[in-house]
Amino acid sequence: EAGLSSAIVTSVAETPDGALWVTGPRGVARIAGGQVTTFGTQDGLPAERVLQVLVDRRGVVWMATHGAGLVRYDGAGFRAFRRAEGLSTDYLISLAEDRDGALWVGTLAGGLNRLAPAARELLDARSGLPPFPVTTVYQRGQSGEWWIGTYGGGLVSLRDGKLRVYTTADGLPSNAITSVAGGDKASIWVGTNGGGAFRFENGRIVERLGPEVVGSTLRMIEGSQGVMWFGGDGLVRYEHGVVRHIGKAEGLRSNEVR
Protein backbone atom coordinates (compact mmCIF):
# COMPACT_ATOMS: atom_id res chain seq x y z
CA GLU A 1 0.00 0.00 0.00
CA ALA A 2 2.90 2.33 0.73
CA GLY A 3 3.48 4.63 -2.21
CA LEU A 4 0.38 3.55 -4.14
CA SER A 5 -2.20 6.16 -5.06
CA SER A 6 -5.00 4.02 -3.60
CA ALA A 7 -5.34 1.13 -1.17
CA ILE A 8 -7.79 -0.48 -3.62
CA VAL A 9 -6.09 -2.65 -6.24
CA THR A 10 -8.09 -3.88 -9.24
CA SER A 11 -5.37 -5.90 -11.01
CA VAL A 12 -1.65 -6.70 -11.14
CA ALA A 13 0.57 -7.79 -14.05
CA GLU A 14 4.30 -8.43 -14.42
CA THR A 15 6.49 -7.33 -17.32
CA PRO A 16 9.41 -9.44 -18.63
CA ASP A 17 11.91 -7.30 -16.69
CA GLY A 18 10.21 -8.18 -13.40
CA ALA A 19 8.39 -4.89 -12.86
CA LEU A 20 4.85 -4.99 -11.49
CA TRP A 21 2.04 -2.83 -12.81
CA VAL A 22 -0.75 -2.21 -10.32
CA THR A 23 -4.08 -0.63 -11.27
CA GLY A 24 -6.80 0.98 -9.23
CA PRO A 25 -9.46 3.69 -9.10
CA ARG A 26 -6.88 6.48 -8.88
CA GLY A 27 -4.39 5.64 -11.58
CA VAL A 28 -1.66 3.04 -11.91
CA ALA A 29 1.70 2.29 -10.33
CA ARG A 30 4.88 0.59 -11.52
CA ILE A 31 6.94 -1.22 -8.90
CA ALA A 32 10.52 -2.04 -9.87
CA GLY A 33 13.64 -2.51 -7.78
CA GLY A 34 11.78 -1.53 -4.63
CA GLN A 35 10.74 1.81 -6.14
CA VAL A 36 7.11 2.78 -6.70
CA THR A 37 6.27 5.16 -9.55
CA THR A 38 2.66 6.32 -9.80
CA PHE A 39 0.88 7.62 -12.90
CA GLY A 40 -2.27 9.67 -12.98
CA THR A 41 -4.02 11.95 -15.41
CA GLN A 42 -1.46 14.64 -14.57
CA ASP A 43 1.21 12.28 -15.98
CA GLY A 44 -0.59 11.63 -19.25
CA LEU A 45 -2.73 8.66 -18.20
CA PRO A 46 -5.95 9.17 -20.21
CA ALA A 47 -8.28 8.03 -17.40
CA GLU A 48 -7.95 7.86 -13.65
CA ARG A 49 -9.93 4.66 -13.16
CA VAL A 50 -8.19 1.55 -14.54
CA LEU A 51 -9.87 -1.82 -14.07
CA GLN A 52 -7.37 -4.25 -15.54
CA VAL A 53 -3.80 -4.38 -16.79
CA LEU A 54 -2.39 -6.99 -19.17
CA VAL A 55 1.16 -7.56 -20.38
CA ASP A 56 1.13 -9.22 -23.79
CA ARG A 57 3.65 -11.73 -25.15
CA ARG A 58 5.81 -8.90 -26.50
CA GLY A 59 5.94 -7.20 -23.11
CA VAL A 60 3.59 -4.36 -24.08
CA VAL A 61 1.41 -3.04 -21.24
CA TRP A 62 -2.32 -2.64 -21.95
CA MET A 63 -4.94 -1.16 -19.65
CA ALA A 64 -8.73 -1.32 -19.62
CA THR A 65 -10.07 2.04 -18.47
CA HIS A 66 -13.39 3.47 -17.45
CA GLY A 67 -14.01 6.20 -20.00
CA ALA A 68 -10.82 6.38 -22.05
CA GLY A 69 -10.91 3.07 -23.88
CA LEU A 70 -7.86 0.83 -24.24
CA VAL A 71 -4.56 2.36 -23.14
CA ARG A 72 -1.10 1.24 -24.27
CA TYR A 73 2.13 2.08 -22.48
CA ASP A 74 5.25 1.88 -24.63
CA GLY A 75 7.86 2.89 -22.07
CA ALA A 76 7.74 6.55 -22.97
CA GLY A 77 4.09 7.44 -22.61
CA PHE A 78 0.46 6.43 -22.84
CA ARG A 79 -1.69 6.13 -25.93
CA ALA A 80 -5.45 5.60 -25.87
CA PHE A 81 -7.46 3.62 -28.42
CA ARG A 82 -11.03 4.79 -28.18
CA ARG A 83 -14.36 4.40 -29.86
CA ALA A 84 -13.15 6.75 -32.58
CA GLU A 85 -10.45 4.17 -33.42
CA GLY A 86 -12.93 1.32 -33.69
CA LEU A 87 -13.75 0.17 -30.16
CA SER A 88 -17.43 -0.41 -29.45
CA THR A 89 -17.24 1.78 -26.32
CA ASP A 90 -14.70 3.61 -24.15
CA TYR A 91 -15.90 1.88 -20.96
CA LEU A 92 -13.90 -1.33 -20.56
CA ILE A 93 -13.70 -4.03 -17.89
CA SER A 94 -11.57 -7.01 -18.91
CA LEU A 95 -8.63 -7.98 -21.14
CA ALA A 96 -7.19 -11.23 -22.51
CA GLU A 97 -4.69 -12.24 -25.19
CA ASP A 98 -5.33 -15.23 -27.45
CA ARG A 99 -2.92 -17.76 -28.95
CA ASP A 100 -2.60 -15.59 -32.08
CA GLY A 101 -1.62 -12.48 -30.13
CA ALA A 102 -4.96 -10.71 -30.59
CA LEU A 103 -6.46 -8.76 -27.70
CA TRP A 104 -9.95 -9.51 -26.41
CA VAL A 105 -11.53 -6.51 -24.74
CA GLY A 106 -14.59 -6.93 -22.54
CA THR A 107 -16.77 -3.87 -22.06
CA LEU A 108 -19.38 -2.46 -19.73
CA ALA A 109 -22.16 -2.28 -22.32
CA GLY A 110 -20.53 -2.71 -25.73
CA GLY A 111 -20.00 -6.45 -25.98
CA LEU A 112 -16.63 -8.09 -26.58
CA ASN A 113 -14.04 -6.68 -29.02
CA ARG A 114 -11.28 -8.75 -30.63
CA LEU A 115 -8.41 -6.60 -31.84
CA ALA A 116 -5.84 -8.07 -34.21
CA PRO A 117 -3.39 -6.29 -36.54
CA ALA A 118 -5.26 -7.35 -39.66
CA ALA A 119 -8.87 -7.40 -38.45
CA ARG A 120 -11.28 -6.32 -35.75
CA GLU A 121 -14.31 -8.25 -34.62
CA LEU A 122 -17.19 -7.53 -32.28
CA LEU A 123 -19.41 -9.95 -30.39
CA ASP A 124 -22.53 -8.31 -29.03
CA ALA A 125 -26.26 -8.92 -28.69
CA ARG A 126 -26.56 -9.23 -32.45
CA SER A 127 -24.13 -12.17 -32.29
CA GLY A 128 -25.99 -13.82 -29.43
CA LEU A 129 -23.86 -12.47 -26.58
CA PRO A 130 -26.03 -11.51 -23.58
CA PRO A 131 -26.29 -7.70 -23.28
CA PHE A 132 -24.49 -7.49 -19.94
CA PRO A 133 -21.01 -6.38 -18.80
CA VAL A 134 -18.24 -8.77 -19.92
CA THR A 135 -16.33 -9.37 -16.70
CA THR A 136 -13.86 -12.05 -17.75
CA VAL A 137 -12.52 -13.79 -20.87
CA TYR A 138 -10.60 -17.06 -20.75
CA GLN A 139 -9.09 -19.29 -23.45
CA ARG A 140 -8.82 -22.95 -22.54
CA GLY A 141 -5.16 -23.85 -23.15
CA GLN A 142 -4.20 -23.62 -26.80
CA SER A 143 -7.61 -24.79 -27.94
CA GLY A 144 -9.95 -22.61 -29.89
CA GLU A 145 -12.49 -22.64 -27.07
CA TRP A 146 -13.22 -19.45 -25.17
CA TRP A 147 -15.24 -18.87 -22.04
CA ILE A 148 -16.84 -15.49 -21.48
CA GLY A 149 -18.28 -14.38 -18.16
CA THR A 150 -21.05 -11.81 -18.08
CA TYR A 151 -22.46 -10.02 -15.06
CA GLY A 152 -26.11 -10.92 -15.32
CA GLY A 153 -26.23 -12.92 -18.54
CA GLY A 154 -24.48 -16.07 -17.38
CA LEU A 155 -21.54 -18.03 -18.82
CA VAL A 156 -20.86 -18.11 -22.56
CA SER A 157 -18.90 -20.67 -24.57
CA LEU A 158 -17.37 -19.65 -27.90
CA ARG A 159 -16.05 -22.38 -30.17
CA ASP A 160 -15.70 -22.45 -33.95
CA GLY A 161 -17.56 -19.16 -34.16
CA LYS A 162 -20.61 -20.47 -32.29
CA LEU A 163 -21.89 -19.09 -28.99
CA ARG A 164 -23.60 -21.17 -26.31
CA VAL A 165 -25.08 -19.44 -23.27
CA TYR A 166 -25.46 -21.15 -19.88
CA THR A 167 -27.63 -19.56 -17.18
CA THR A 168 -29.50 -20.48 -14.02
CA ALA A 169 -32.02 -22.15 -16.31
CA ASP A 170 -29.25 -24.66 -17.10
CA GLY A 171 -28.40 -25.18 -13.44
CA LEU A 172 -25.87 -22.41 -12.77
CA PRO A 173 -26.07 -21.06 -9.21
CA SER A 174 -25.86 -17.45 -10.44
CA ASN A 175 -25.90 -15.49 -13.70
CA ALA A 176 -23.41 -12.97 -12.29
CA ILE A 177 -20.10 -14.44 -13.44
CA THR A 178 -16.99 -12.73 -12.07
CA SER A 179 -14.06 -15.01 -12.98
CA VAL A 180 -13.05 -18.08 -14.98
CA ALA A 181 -9.90 -20.22 -14.69
CA GLY A 182 -8.70 -23.60 -15.91
CA GLY A 183 -9.46 -26.74 -13.91
CA ASP A 184 -8.53 -30.39 -14.27
CA LYS A 185 -8.54 -31.96 -17.73
CA ALA A 186 -11.16 -30.21 -19.88
CA SER A 187 -12.93 -28.44 -17.03
CA ILE A 188 -13.01 -24.81 -15.92
CA TRP A 189 -13.64 -23.18 -12.57
CA VAL A 190 -16.19 -20.37 -12.56
CA GLY A 191 -16.64 -17.75 -9.85
CA THR A 192 -19.87 -15.87 -9.23
CA ASN A 193 -21.41 -13.13 -7.17
CA GLY A 194 -23.68 -14.80 -4.63
CA GLY A 195 -23.45 -18.37 -5.91
CA GLY A 196 -19.96 -19.44 -4.91
CA ALA A 197 -17.77 -21.29 -7.42
CA PHE A 198 -18.27 -24.35 -9.57
CA ARG A 199 -16.26 -26.62 -11.83
CA PHE A 200 -17.84 -26.96 -15.26
CA GLU A 201 -17.20 -29.70 -17.81
CA ASN A 202 -19.06 -30.87 -20.91
CA GLY A 203 -21.94 -28.48 -20.31
CA ARG A 204 -22.63 -29.40 -16.70
CA ILE A 205 -21.48 -28.68 -13.15
CA VAL A 206 -19.27 -31.48 -11.83
CA GLU A 207 -18.18 -29.86 -8.55
CA ARG A 208 -19.38 -26.93 -6.51
CA LEU A 209 -18.14 -24.81 -3.61
CA GLY A 210 -20.92 -22.73 -2.10
CA PRO A 211 -20.66 -19.13 -0.89
CA GLU A 212 -20.39 -20.42 2.66
CA VAL A 213 -17.04 -21.95 1.60
CA VAL A 214 -15.49 -19.43 -0.80
CA GLY A 215 -17.40 -16.28 0.15
CA SER A 216 -20.38 -14.46 -1.29
CA THR A 217 -18.44 -12.45 -3.87
CA LEU A 218 -15.60 -14.02 -5.84
CA ARG A 219 -13.32 -11.59 -7.67
CA MET A 220 -10.54 -13.89 -8.84
CA ILE A 221 -9.61 -17.54 -9.35
CA GLU A 222 -6.10 -18.80 -10.03
CA GLY A 223 -4.89 -22.37 -10.36
CA SER A 224 -1.54 -24.13 -10.50
CA GLN A 225 -0.58 -27.81 -10.27
CA GLY A 226 -3.92 -28.93 -8.90
CA VAL A 227 -4.22 -26.14 -6.31
CA MET A 228 -6.99 -23.56 -6.77
CA TRP A 229 -7.05 -20.14 -5.13
CA PHE A 230 -10.29 -18.20 -4.72
CA GLY A 231 -10.20 -14.51 -3.80
CA GLY A 232 -13.05 -12.32 -2.64
CA ASP A 233 -14.05 -12.38 1.00
CA GLY A 234 -10.55 -13.39 2.05
CA LEU A 235 -8.45 -16.01 0.30
CA VAL A 236 -9.34 -19.71 -0.02
CA ARG A 237 -6.91 -22.49 -0.94
CA TYR A 238 -8.53 -25.63 -2.34
CA GLU A 239 -6.72 -28.88 -3.13
CA HIS A 240 -8.27 -32.34 -3.55
CA GLY A 241 -11.30 -31.48 -1.45
CA VAL A 242 -9.34 -29.77 1.33
CA VAL A 243 -10.25 -26.13 2.04
CA ARG A 244 -8.08 -23.63 3.86
CA HIS A 245 -9.27 -20.11 4.65
CA ILE A 246 -6.78 -17.26 4.87
CA GLY A 247 -7.94 -13.90 6.18
CA LYS A 248 -6.92 -11.09 8.48
CA ALA A 249 -6.50 -13.55 11.35
CA GLU A 250 -3.86 -15.34 9.24
CA GLY A 251 -2.01 -12.14 8.36
CA LEU A 252 -3.87 -10.58 5.42
CA ARG A 253 -4.21 -6.81 5.74
CA SER A 254 -7.77 -7.00 4.43
CA ASN A 255 -10.37 -9.68 3.79
CA GLU A 256 -11.21 -8.02 0.46
CA VAL A 257 -9.15 -9.81 -2.19
CA ARG A 258 -9.30 -9.00 -5.90
Side-chain angles (χ1 to χ4, degrees):
E1 178 178 333
L4 299 181
S5 54
S6 171
I8 298 175
V9 174
T10 55
S11 73
V12 179
E14 184 177 5
T15 54
D17 61 2
L20 292 179
W21 282 86
V22 182
T23 68
R26 296 180 181 174
V28 301
R30 182 179 183 270
I31 305 173
Q35 299 294 316
V36 180
T37 304
T38 58
F39 301 91
T41 52
Q42 70 276 10
D43 305 299
L45 186 66
E48 190 173 53
R49 186 177 176 190
V50 182
L51 282 82
Q52 187 173 351
V53 59
L54 177 146
V55 178
D56 68 19
R57 64 187 64 183
R58 298 170 298 161
V60 177
V61 179
W62 299 92
M63 303 172 196
T65 75
H66 185 81
L70 180 66
V71 173
R72 180 182 188 270
Y73 181 77
D74 61 6
F78 300 95
R79 180 187 174 190
F81 299 85
R82 304 173 184 259
R83 189 172 181 180
E85 282 80 40
L87 281 181
S88 60
T89 176
D90 289 335
Y91 294 86
L92 312 183
I93 299 178
S94 53
L95 297 173
E97 183 184 17
D98 67 20
R99 60 183 180 179
D100 299 318
L103 287 180
W104 293 69
V105 183
T107 73
L108 182 65
L112 178 63
N113 299 260
R114 181 180 186 270
L115 308 178
R120 296 184 179 183
E121 303 172 44
L122 174 65
L123 294 176
D124 58 12
R126 293 168 294 184
S127 312
L129 189 69
F132 293 88
V134 177
T135 53
T136 183
V137 186
Y138 174 77
Q139 185 176 25
R140 176 69 189 170
Q142 291 300 308
S143 72
E145 184 176 32
W146 283 84
W147 291 94
I148 304 161
T150 72
Y151 200 86
L155 179 68
V156 182
S157 168
L158 172 62
R159 189 177 183 89
D160 298 326
K162 297 180 180 179
L163 293 176
R164 169 72 164 89
V165 181
Y166 299 91
T167 67
T168 52
D170 302 292
L172 299 193
S174 171
N175 285 334
I177 308 299
T178 57
S179 51
V180 177
D184 294 338
K185 299 178 182 178
S187 68
I188 57 170
W189 276 98
V190 182
T192 73
N193 185 1
F198 58 90
R199 190 161 63 88
F200 201 66
E201 186 174 359
N202 296 325
R204 64 186 183 91
I205 295 175
V206 295
E207 189 174 3
R208 183 177 173 189
L209 300 174
E212 71 281 0
V213 176
V214 295
S216 59
T217 302
L218 275 175
R219 298 181 181 89
M220 65 78 111
I221 303 177
E222 294 289 343
S224 176
Q225 299 180 341
V227 179
M228 301 304 300
W229 294 90
F230 303 91
D233 302 329
L235 191 62
V236 174
R237 184 184 190 274
Y238 181 71
E239 183 179 14
H240 303 307
V242 179
V243 175
R244 180 190 175 198
H245 292 268
I246 303 169
K248 292 182 71 174
E250 289 73 31
L252 288 185
R253 298 192 66 176
S254 170
N255 281 332
E256 185 173 338
V257 178
R258 295 178 180 268

